[in-house]
Amino acid sequence: MANSRLLAADELTSAALQSYAQAAHEDLAVGHAIEGRLRRVVRESWERSLRNMKSLEPLEPHLLLGDEELEAYRRNHPLAAIMPVIHQLLVRPSHDGGLLVAVGDEHGRLLWVEGDKELRRKAAGINFVSGADWSESYVGTSAPGTALALGNSVQIAGAEHFNHAVHPWSCTAVPLHDPDSGSVLGVVDITGGEDAVGRYTLSLVEATVAAAEAQLRVQRLQNRGAQPRRTGRSTTAASAGKSLYRDSLQILGREQGVLNLSGEAVPLSERHAEILTVLALNPQGLSAEELAVLVYPAGASVTTVRAELVRMRRLLQRHGDVILPQSRPYRLPRELVV
């Protein structure tokens, strides 16, 4: 079957797709082979799960880290540096959206689980909590564990989970990579009901991960740029840091965004900063409908989005045309570091 990226939310959670998964569970329970109509990504994950797990019975994820160990581990993990980005782009909106945001390390151990309070209470019932092991090898198919196993984005809906206890849930997960080595540092996941595999959820999580990786890259360039002043070595890294910030958008730790164009700082409203951020993280371009979903969490008409873009263009034209958004689809004419 088609990859989950090509399926809309109503297809992932459709009665037909869920019935295929339920039938596959029934086949496994009586010793039959895995049902062939499962999506390929799910079928292959189930096959790995069967090899790694000793029983088909539901297995509660193991709590590997206690409170003190977890706090120390989180504090020293590279993911801690990008949590402000994830909190801003995913966690804050999730409180009103009935969703959970989980960030795990490269081994599938959940380090942060935040979001809707009532949903967090329910998730504790399946031990979807900070410190628990949600690797594919331990609990079977789930978006966080399977995304890490594949090194790719994954969406898993309802009965596609290998563990029966997780069937009421759906999830979308994207691996986060080290900007220097390219190795996987961890995974960012959205978990909840059908909205967790919504049409634009995957794009939103991927955009957030891209922003987090960019933030980590900027921080490392800043650190490297500071070294020559202490050691007297080459200032190449410092120069790289300056050029990186020449055309950039700063959005964290401030009420307004600041757009830096060739050394000139342009203050932006919160809405204009959000639009530029989404466009910068989607260089392939977005339709007005997609932009409306990503910028306005509660939804907005295409007319509203287009009107806001007209106002933003007028503002940016005062500072030249190097970063004016293009249309059909909406996109930036050049790279903008967020």
Side-chain angles (χ1 to χ4, degrees):
M1 295 189 81
N3 187 285
S4 63
R5 178 183 294 277
L6 304 178
L7 297 177
D10 56 350
E11 293 179 83
L12 283 172
T13 57
S14 67
L17 204 63
Q18 291 299 302
S19 68
Y20 296 154
Q22 290 287 3
H25 281 288
E26 293 170 5
D27 287 341
L28 285 180
V30 295
H32 293 170
I34 296 175
E35 218 283 339
R37 285 184 288 185
L38 284 171
R39 291 189 295 134
R40 180 178 176 181
V41 65
V42 175
R43 185 178 69 253
E44 292 178 350
S45 176
W46 281 27
E47 291 170 350
R48 290 192 299 272
S49 300
L50 284 170
R51 291 195 296 269
N52 291 325
M53 300 173 67
K54 297 179 180 179
S55 171
L56 293 177
E57 294 300 316
L59 183 63
E60 183 175 286
H62 182 55
L63 194 62
L64 291 174
L65 301 170
D67 291 343
E68 292 185 5
E69 293 174 307
L70 176 63
E71 182 57 35
Y73 185 66
R74 289 195 299 201
R75 188 169 52 249
N76 294 303
H77 198 282
L79 291 172
I82 49 85
M83 280 307 295
V85 177
I86 294 172
H87 194 275
Q88 179 75 15
L89 298 180
L90 284 185
V91 175
R92 284 177 57 186
S94 73
H95 285 282
D96 298 324
L99 295 168
L100 295 179
V101 177
V103 179
D105 70 4
E106 65 274 29
H107 305 295
R109 295 173 289 199
L110 303 183
L111 303 187
W112 291 270
V113 179
E114 302 187 43
D116 183 271
K117 182 181 293 186
E118 178 62 20
L119 210 60
R120 287 177 65 185
R121 184 187 66 79
K122 292 179 180 179
I126 58 170
N127 226 19
F128 192 80
V129 296
S130 300
D133 183 353
W134 274 78
S135 62
E136 187 185 74
S137 61
Y138 191 78
V139 299
T141 306
S142 73
T146 302
L148 287 172
L150 297 177
N152 292 317
S153 305
V154 170
Q155 291 184 292
I156 301 295
E160 291 183 324
H161 288 94
F162 190 78
N163 192 331
H164 288 264
V166 196
H167 285 188
W169 302 80
S170 294
C171 45
T172 294
V174 178
L176 189 148
H177 294 84
D178 185 284
D180 292 327
S181 67
S183 62
V184 173
L185 282 178
V187 64
V188 178
D189 167 83
I190 282 186
T191 287
E194 293 185 4
D195 287 346
V197 289
R199 181 178 180 186
Y200 296 107
T201 304
L202 180 57
S203 295
L204 176 60
V205 181
E206 287 181 332
T208 300
V209 167
E213 291 173 343
Q215 176 69 11
L216 191 57
R217 185 179 297 111
V218 167
Q219 290 177 347
R220 290 185 179 179
L221 284 171
Q222 286 178 309
N223 292 338
R224 293 166 189 164
Q227 289 177 3
R229 289 191 288 272
R230 296 195 305 268
T231 64
R233 288 179 287 177
S234 168
T235 59
T236 301
S239 299
K242 290 178 182 178
S243 64
L244 183 65
Y245 273 110
R246 189 178 303 140
D247 293 326
S248 67
L249 175 63
Q250 299 177 24
I251 58 175
L252 298 180
R254 57 181 71 246
E255 293 297 324
Q256 290 184 307
V258 175
L259 179 64
N260 296 283
L261 296 174
S262 300
E264 181 183 11
V266 181
L268 299 173
S269 68
E270 181 178 357
R271 183 64 71 208
H272 288 170
E274 289 172 342
I275 292 173
L276 276 180
T277 298
V278 170
L279 291 177
L281 297 177
N282 292 274
Q284 76 282 1
L286 296 166
S287 67
E289 291 81 4
E290 291 172 329
L291 199 55
V293 170
L294 293 175
V295 175
Y296 297 83
S301 68
V302 171
T303 302
T304 299
V305 174
R306 288 173 176 160
E308 199 63 59
L309 277 161
V310 169
R311 287 190 284 269
M312 187 175 70
R313 280 197 182 104
R314 289 173 182 166
L315 169 68
L316 296 179
Q317 279 177 333
R318 303 173 195 166
H319 306 277
D321 59 358
V322 294
I323 207 69
L324 286 181
Q326 300 172 349
S327 58
R328 298 182 184 179
Y330 289 110
R331 63 196 185 282
L332 298 181
R334 60 191 293 176
E335 182 182 7
L336 180 67
V337 175
V338 180

